[in-house]
C-alpha cells in the first residue's frame, strides 16, 4: 500500500475515465483526531481512502491510498446507492476547463440543461446527474456525509480497512505535527 498526497488520489479519480456517474462516497469527521475521513468507490476501479484537514481556511492537506482494487459483496452495502428511498447527499469532482472555448461550451451545456429541467418534470437526482454530465464531471454520485459526526458506514469502512486507516492516521498526524497546527489554524 502506497500512501500519497490526497490531491494525487483525486487526480487518479479524475483520470480514471470510467463511468463517471458510478462513483459513491462516505465521509465524516475523523475518529479521534483533527480532520475528516473520506472513502471513494467505483465498481470498476475499487476503493480509495483519504484523510484530510484544513491547515488554514485556504489550504487543505492530507493523505490517501487505494485500499481495494474491487468491490466485493461485503463492501457493496457499505456505500450509498441511487435508491430514492435512501437519504443521501451528492458529490462531484470537478476539473477546471482547459481554455476559454471549453469554458464557453461547458456554460452553454449547463444553461441548456437548466432550461430543460425548468420546463419538464424531473427529479433532483436526474437534475444533479444532468448537471454533472453538462459540466463533464469525471466523478459524481451519492454520498453519505455528516459534517460534524461520522456516518455508521464510515465506522464500518474504517474497521474493514484497519491497517490502511492506522497508516493513514499516522501519516496525517505527522503532517499536522509538522505544520504545527494541532487544534487550530496556522
Amino acid at each position: 500500500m502506497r500512501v500519497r498526497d490526497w490531491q494525487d488520489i483525486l487526480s487518479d479519480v479524475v483520470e480514471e475515465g470510467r463511468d463517471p456517474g458510478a462513483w459513491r462516497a462516505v465521509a465524516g469527521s475523523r475518529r479521534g483526531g483533527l480532520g475528516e475521513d473520506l472513502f471513494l468507490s467505483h465498481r470498476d476501479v475499487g476503493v480509495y481512502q483519504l484523510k484530510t484537514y484544513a491547515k488554514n481556511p485556504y489550504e487543505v492537506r492530507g493523505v490517501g491510498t487505494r485500499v481495494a482494487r474491487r468491490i466485493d459483496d461485503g463492501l457493496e452495502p457499505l456505500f450509498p446507492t441511487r435508491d430514492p428511498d435512501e437519504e443521501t447527499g451528492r458529490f462531484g469532482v470537478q476539473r477546471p476547463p482547459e481554455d476559454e472555448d471549453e469554458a464557453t461550451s461547458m456554460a452553454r451545456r449547463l444553461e441548456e440543461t437548466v432550461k430543460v429541467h425548468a420546463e419538464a418534470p424531473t427529479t433532483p437526482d436526474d437534475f444533479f446527474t444532468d448537471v454533472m454530465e453538462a459540466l463533464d464531471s469525471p466523478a459524481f454520485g451519492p454520498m453519505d456525509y455528516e459534517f460534524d459526526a461520522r456516518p455508521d458506514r464510515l465506522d464500518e469502512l474504517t474497521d474493514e480497512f484497519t491497517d490502511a486507516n492506522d497508516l493513514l492516521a499516522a501519516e496525517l498526524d505527522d503532517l499536522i505535527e509538522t505544520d504545527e497546527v494541532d487544534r487550530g489554524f496556522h
Side-chain angles (χ1 to χ4, degrees), residues 1-182:
M1 169 181 359
R2 199 171 110 220
V3 174
R4 301 182 300 154
D5 185 84
W6 75 287
Q7 292 285 9
D8 293 340
I9 300 296
L10 288 182
S11 292
D12 286 355
V13 168
V14 166
E15 293 168 7
E16 196 57 51
R18 299 190 197 173
D19 189 9
W23 287 90
R24 300 179 294 161
V26 177
S29 297
R30 193 170 150 224
R31 192 191 287 170
L34 178 67
E36 293 187 323
D37 285 337
L38 169 68
F39 284 89
L40 289 170
S41 74
H42 189 288
R43 68 181 170 265
D44 297 329
V45 178
V47 179
Y48 292 98
Q49 181 179 5
L50 294 95
K51 289 187 176 290
T52 61
Y53 77 97
K55 178 177 178 183
N56 59 52
Y58 306 103
E59 184 180 359
V60 174
R61 304 243 325 191
V63 293
T65 190
R66 181 185 276 185
V67 293
R69 296 205 175 276
R70 63 183 188 86
I71 299 176
D72 59 23
D73 293 340
L75 291 177
E76 184 71 30
L78 299 180
F79 288 95
T81 64
R82 290 193 183 277
D83 183 346
D85 294 333
E86 186 176 5
E87 292 185 30
T88 60
R90 303 286 180 261
F91 81 98
V93 176
Q94 291 301 115
R95 63 177 158 230
E98 291 185 18
D99 56 30
E100 190 174 332
D101 290 339
E102 184 180 359
T104 302
S105 173
M106 191 180 292
R108 264 191 245 115
R109 289 191 312 268
L110 181 59
E111 183 178 9
E112 288 302 314
T113 299
V114 171
K115 281 182 187 176
V116 167
H117 282 272
E119 296 169 359
T122 188
T123 67
D125 190 54
D126 290 338
F127 180 65
F128 174 79
T129 299
D130 289 348
V131 165
M132 290 295 102
E133 288 174 354
L135 295 174
D136 198 25
S137 174
F140 62 91
M143 179 179 206
D144 189 358
Y145 176 76
E146 292 187 27
F147 179 71
D148 57 356
R150 290 177 64 85
D152 292 339
R153 288 178 170 146
L154 187 55
D155 284 331
E156 292 175 46
L157 284 162
T158 300
D159 292 342
E160 181 73 26
F161 300 105
T162 304
D163 292 341
N165 185 68
D166 292 347
L167 179 60
L168 290 173
E171 291 286 333
L172 188 67
D173 288 341
D174 288 348
L175 271 178
I176 291 168
E177 185 178 320
T178 300
D179 289 341
E180 298 178 343
V181 173
D182 297 317

